[in-house]
Amino acid sequence: MQIPTDKKSQSLKIISALTIIILLVSAVVSMQNTSKPLEIETVSPSYDYLQTTVSAFGSLQPKVRHSILAQVDGIIENIYKRPGDKVSQGDLIIELVNPKLNRSIEQEKLLLQGKLAELEKMKATQRQLLQKQESKVLIAQYDLTISQSKLEAQNKLAALSIVSSLDLQQAELNQQKAKLFLEQEKYALDALKAMQKAEMNAYEFELQRATKQLELLERDKENLKIRAGQKGVIVKLNTNLEAGLNIQEDTMIGQIADPASLFALLRVQASQASLLELNQSVDIKIKGQHVSGLIERISPNVENSTVEVEVKFTQVLPSHSISNMSVTANIHYKSKDKNLLLVKPKHINYAGTNTVLVKNEISQRVKPQQITVGWIGEQHIQILEGLAVNDEVVLTDPREWDGSL
């Protein structure tokens, strides 16, 4: 069947007209889209207080510690306490043995007994010599008394011319001789007493030395029992301790901590250290429980990109708190003055020079702008330079911006 020529030409005209209409409509729509600017979401900086939470991590540490030291050489016989055990002052922790020390004590006891025997013997000898010399003094006094009596008698007889002057002179010489002899015997007695006193002092010194030496050895024997020097919890004990191990004097065996002196030793990222100050409030989480505290010390040194912070507690710690227990903390910060803040773009993660996109209010064009960022929080950043309050900032990463409007 053939289509008439007039009908075929009419259909072609209709199709051509429809095509022209579609092209015209597309052109109009395209012109409208070109003349209408693309709407871009922007944010503007504003002045407000910096409020943020600085995260920290660390552990509980005691301010009061007592070292457990071996004060004498010895071999471990028994271990009575282990890390984590609570102790009172004087509790036995480790017991040592030292056979050599025991022998030294027995030898010193024998030496002391010998010194005591020698002392008693010396006292007896001194008493004997002293009595002998005192007897000599008494005899000399008696001789002097007799010679004085004879001299007085000779004087009376001489006055009566019964004896000669020669006999009188002889009596005077005998009296002087007796007097001199008495003085010599008294001097000898005094010298003997002085010598005996010096001997006694020397023996007493030796006796004291021997007694003191025995006391020291007995104390060393007592020190074989290593006891707790204070009340607390054993936080450290050498892992290699076992029965039969030889321990040298002054070896540190472990540590005892006072639970009442626990504080939080935290580490904070160095980039956030400028937000910290003394007496700043801290919320510390200990095994699921929250305890309040205040910053007591901030270290001026940076180690592994972190700063050390000490926090004292203002609340009673949970009963299960022990030294070296890991903790986390949130340090709350609010600035004293208002700062220029901007909603945090996703691509800004460090302080210092960064780049953002700023939309020109008049031309509506977007261009890159360098800014200086200070503090960086979870939701806002601090603008130090490069932006003003009325600037419109596009939060898109400049590296992903295609330049279209």
Side-chain angles (χ1 to χ4, degrees):
M1 180 178 177
Q2 292 184 347
I3 300 173
T5 304
D6 57 346
K7 288 184 179 182
K8 184 176 181 181
S9 60
Q10 186 179 0
S11 297
L12 292 172
K13 290 179 181 179
I14 292 172
I15 293 172
S16 299
L18 291 174
T19 302
I20 293 171
I21 291 172
I22 292 172
L23 291 173
L24 289 172
V25 171
S26 298
V28 171
V29 171
S30 177
M31 290 176 64
Q32 289 178 347
N33 289 340
T34 303
S35 61
K36 184 179 179 180
L38 181 65
E39 292 185 4
I40 303 171
E41 183 181 359
T42 62
V43 293
S44 296
S46 62
Y47 280 95
D48 203 347
Y49 293 102
L50 290 177
Q51 294 188 62
T52 187
T53 299
V54 178
S55 298
F57 64 93
S59 61
L60 299 180
Q61 295 295 327
K63 278 190 175 293
V64 180
R65 300 171 186 249
H66 176 78
S67 296
I68 305 172
L69 294 175
Q71 299 185 42
V72 292
D73 297 341
I75 299 171
I76 295 178
E77 185 174 46
N78 290 302
I79 301 175
Y80 298 98
K81 301 291 182 181
R82 292 292 182 180
D85 289 344
K86 293 182 179 181
V87 294
S88 298
Q89 186 174 6
D91 283 356
L92 184 59
I93 300 174
I94 295 175
E95 187 171 14
L96 307 177
V97 293
N98 188 329
K100 184 178 179 180
L101 177 60
N102 292 334
R103 289 194 298 272
S104 297
I105 290 174
E106 294 304 319
Q107 290 174 357
E108 201 64 34
K109 284 181 178 179
L110 292 174
L111 179 62
L112 180 59
Q113 291 176 356
K115 292 290 183 182
L116 289 171
E118 289 180 4
L119 179 61
E120 292 302 319
K121 180 180 178 180
M122 185 197 69
K123 286 181 178 180
T125 301
Q126 285 188 347
R127 284 194 299 269
Q128 184 179 10
L129 293 175
L130 187 61
Q131 290 174 353
K132 184 176 180 180
Q133 186 60 36
E134 287 175 343
S135 297
K136 289 182 178 181
V137 171
L138 289 175
I139 292 171
Q141 288 177 338
Y142 177 74
D143 290 341
L144 178 60
T145 301
I146 293 175
S147 63
Q148 287 177 340
S149 299
K150 287 182 177 181
L151 178 59
E152 291 175 357
Q154 290 293 333
N155 282 327
K156 291 179 180 179
L157 293 174
L160 297 175
S161 299
I162 297 175
V163 295
S164 64
S165 58
L166 183 59
D167 293 333
L168 180 59
Q169 288 178 357
Q170 184 65 40
E172 289 176 348
L173 289 174
N174 290 336
Q175 188 268 343
Q176 292 176 359
K177 181 179 178 181
K179 184 177 181 182
L180 181 59
F181 184 72
L182 176 60
E183 290 176 355
Q184 289 177 343
E185 294 298 334
K186 286 183 176 180
Y187 177 80
L189 179 61
D190 291 339
L192 178 62
K193 288 180 177 179
M195 183 185 66
Q196 289 183 344
K197 183 178 181 181
E199 288 178 348
M200 183 64 68
N201 289 339
Y203 265 85
E204 287 180 350
F205 175 79
E206 288 295 323
L207 185 61
Q208 290 174 0
R209 189 202 63 79
T211 303
K212 187 65 176 178
Q213 183 65 23
L214 180 60
E215 290 176 356
L216 292 175
L217 291 173
E218 292 285 2
R219 187 182 303 172
D220 285 345
K221 182 179 180 180
E222 179 60 28
N223 286 335
L224 290 172
K225 297 178 179 180
I226 302 175
R227 301 181 182 274
Q230 69 172 41
K231 179 182 178 181
V233 176
I234 297 178
V235 295
K236 186 186 296 183
L237 207 62
N238 292 353
T239 55
N240 63 339
L241 294 180
E242 59 182 13
L245 181 67
N246 186 36
I247 299 296
Q248 299 295 320
E249 182 180 358
D250 293 331
T251 299
M252 191 178 82
I253 297 174
Q255 282 187 337
I256 298 173
D258 181 5
S261 70
L262 289 176
F263 68 98
L265 184 63
L266 306 177
R267 301 208 75 88
V268 175
Q269 291 297 320
S271 59
Q272 296 181 304
S274 60
L275 303 179
L276 306 182
E277 59 184 14
L278 296 179
N279 295 317
Q280 198 168 355
S281 63
V282 183
D283 179 31
I284 300 174
K285 191 174 182 181
I286 306 175
K287 292 290 185 181
Q289 292 185 251
H290 293 267
V291 183
S292 298
L294 297 173
I295 292 180
E296 191 173 36
R297 185 184 72 88
I298 303 172
S299 173
N301 303 316
V302 177
E303 183 179 346
N304 296 327
S305 300
T306 61
V307 172
E308 190 176 81
V309 178
E310 290 185 11
V311 177
K312 64 179 179 181
F313 293 102
T314 55
Q315 289 181 302
V316 178
L317 296 180
S319 58
H320 58 265
S321 301
I322 60 174
S323 180
N324 296 320
M325 179 179 285
S326 297
V327 297
T328 57
N330 290 323
I331 303 173
H332 307 292
Y333 173 78
K334 181 179 180 180
S335 63
K336 297 178 181 179
D337 302 316
K338 290 185 177 182
N339 295 262
L340 186 61
L341 305 181
L342 177 69
V343 174
K344 180 184 177 183
K346 292 182 179 180
H347 68 281
I348 294 182
N349 298 306
Y350 59 87
T353 303
N354 285 271
T355 302
V356 294
L357 296 173
V358 179
K359 179 181 177 183
N360 188 283
E361 185 178 0
I362 298 175
S363 67
Q364 299 296 300
R365 296 288 180 179
V366 175
K367 64 176 183 178
Q369 175 73 35
Q370 278 198 346
I371 62 172
T372 303
V373 178
W375 163 83
I376 298 179
E378 295 180 1
Q379 298 180 351
H380 294 84
I381 61 173
Q382 179 189 20
I383 304 300
L384 300 178
E385 292 181 354
L387 291 177
V389 173
N390 295 324
D391 288 340
E392 296 183 51
V393 179
V394 180
L395 298 181
T396 304
D397 188 341
R399 294 170 295 182
E400 301 175 356
W401 179 253
D402 59 7
S404 61
L405 293 176

